[in-house]
């Protein structure tokens, strides 16, 4: 890839996000984070895109990583009962490995969000340790969560209004913009573990990439993506 083409790929998203950052509320600045929270939602879906609206979160996994040795020091993992489309499609089960029994008796998202907030408090993440959420791409927090919250009337908490898209940090650190999570793992010579599109397994694989970037590439962790108020 030519240098000019690469610069266009990286510079345009950064410039756009800089503009968004100036007009968005964000209680975090871009200094060192004490913790990185790796998140990867799974959601209701069907083989034909757009046939399920809104998509609803059915798996809510988060790994708490400290930023000295990049070890996992905490885990939040819940399955979530969808309310608008309560029956999972065969395609959804095939893709995510989540069967109906795994969500049938679980709490809806509103309750799970309350439990997640309590977990953040138990991890000293709201008053003591400075943290940022890490995702693989922007879909989880830029599309899925806002659309579902708009439907339910929930308010998006401040800590979900800005995050680190690990693809951007990976690109800045390696010179390669990754297509997806397996591409990052392969480029970093890391072995994929578990099942692709299992939320908790994806989190562990993203965490492996975070550890690679933090320890071997000495990457600078900065917020890359923002929601406009």
């Amino acid at each position: 890839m030519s240098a000019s083409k690469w610069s266009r790929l990286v510079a345009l998203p950064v410039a756009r996000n800089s503009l968004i950052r100036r007009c968005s509320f964000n209680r975090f600045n871009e200094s060192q984070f004490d913790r990185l929270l790796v998140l990867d939602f799974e959601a209701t879906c069907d083989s034909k895109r757009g046939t399920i609206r809104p998509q609803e979160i059915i798996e809510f996994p988060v790994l708490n990583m400290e930023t000295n040795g990049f070890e996992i020091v905490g885990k939040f993992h819940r399955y979530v009962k969808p309310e608008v489309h309560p029956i999972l499609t065969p395609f959804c089960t095939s893709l995510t490995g989540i069967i109906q029994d795994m969500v049938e008796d679980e709490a809806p998202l509103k309750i799970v969000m309350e439990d997640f907030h309590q977990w953040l408090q138990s991890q000293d993440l709201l008053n003591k340790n400075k943290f940022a959420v890490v995702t693989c791409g922007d879909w989880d927090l830029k599309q899925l969560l806002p659309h579902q919250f708009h439907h339910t009337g929930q308010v998006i908490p401040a800590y979900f209004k800005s995050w680190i898209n690990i693809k951007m940090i990976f690109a800045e650190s390696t010179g390669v913009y990754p297509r997806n999570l397996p591409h990052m793992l392969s480029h970093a010579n890391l072995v994929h573990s578990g099942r692709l599109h299992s939320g908790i397994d994806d989190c562990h694989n993203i965490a492996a990439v975070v550890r690679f970037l933090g320890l071997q590439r000495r990457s600078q962790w900065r917020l890359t993506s923002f929601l406009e108020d």
Side-chain angles (χ1 to χ4, degrees):
M1 179 182 294
S2 68
S4 61
K5 186 174 182 182
W6 163 247
S7 65
R8 289 196 299 271
L9 284 174
V10 173
L12 287 176
V14 171
R16 180 177 182 274
N17 285 332
S18 296
L19 177 61
I20 294 174
R21 180 166 62 251
R22 288 195 296 270
C23 63
S24 300
F25 171 77
N26 173 34
R27 75 182 186 91
F28 304 112
N29 60 37
E30 293 187 1
S31 60
Q32 181 65 44
F33 297 107
D34 301 308
R35 298 285 188 268
L36 297 175
L37 301 188
V38 178
L39 175 151
D40 190 84
F41 293 138
E42 298 302 328
T44 52
C45 56
D46 204 354
S47 56
K48 293 183 179 179
R49 184 175 298 180
T51 57
I52 292 184
R53 296 176 185 270
Q55 287 186 272
E56 299 171 89
I57 295 167
I58 55 175
E59 186 179 4
F60 192 135
V62 178
L63 299 177
N64 179 7
M65 299 186 74
E66 49 83 18
T67 54
N68 290 320
F70 293 91
E71 296 298 326
I72 296 169
V73 295
K75 177 177 76 171
F76 179 88
H77 185 210
R78 293 283 297 275
Y79 291 100
V80 186
K81 183 178 180 65
E83 298 182 280
V84 180
H85 301 283
I87 305 301
L88 303 183
T89 65
F91 175 83
C92 185
T93 294
S94 175
L95 180 70
T96 65
I98 299 172
I99 63 174
Q100 191 66 38
D101 285 349
M102 295 168 69
V103 300
E104 190 64 36
D105 296 323
E106 297 297 329
L109 181 61
K110 183 177 181 180
I111 302 301
V112 174
M113 277 297 303
E114 293 173 357
D115 293 343
F116 177 67
H117 193 80
Q118 291 178 0
W119 177 79
L120 291 176
Q121 292 177 320
S122 74
Q123 300 281 301
D124 289 326
L125 291 170
L126 296 180
N127 300 314
K128 182 179 178 181
N129 292 306
K130 183 179 176 184
F131 72 91
V133 177
V134 178
T135 61
C136 184
D138 289 327
W139 178 79
D140 299 82
L141 295 179
K142 193 163 243 180
Q143 297 182 49
L144 175 62
L145 188 73
H147 289 168
Q148 187 170 357
F149 271 30
H150 178 76
H151 181 83
T152 60
Q154 292 172 257
V155 177
I156 300 173
Y159 50 74
F160 278 158
K161 290 187 176 183
S162 55
W163 61 94
I164 298 171
N165 179 350
I166 197 172
K167 290 182 177 181
M168 295 295 295
I169 305 301
F170 190 93
E172 293 170 0
S173 301
T174 66
V176 174
Y177 191 87
R179 297 185 302 274
N180 48 37
L181 177 55
H183 187 196
M184 280 191 288
L185 292 168
S186 176
H187 187 82
N189 293 317
L190 298 171
V191 177
H192 182 273
S193 64
R195 177 192 179 110
L196 188 63
H197 299 303
S198 158
I200 190 62
D201 289 348
D202 285 350
C203 280
H204 279 286
N205 285 299
I206 296 168
V209 176
V210 169
R211 191 174 300 113
F212 162 78
L213 293 174
L215 296 180
Q216 297 189 35
R217 295 298 178 128
R218 302 293 181 183
S219 298
Q220 297 298 309
W221 300 100
R222 65 174 184 85
L223 297 171
T224 64
S225 305
F226 304 83
L227 282 180
E228 297 184 59
D229 287 329

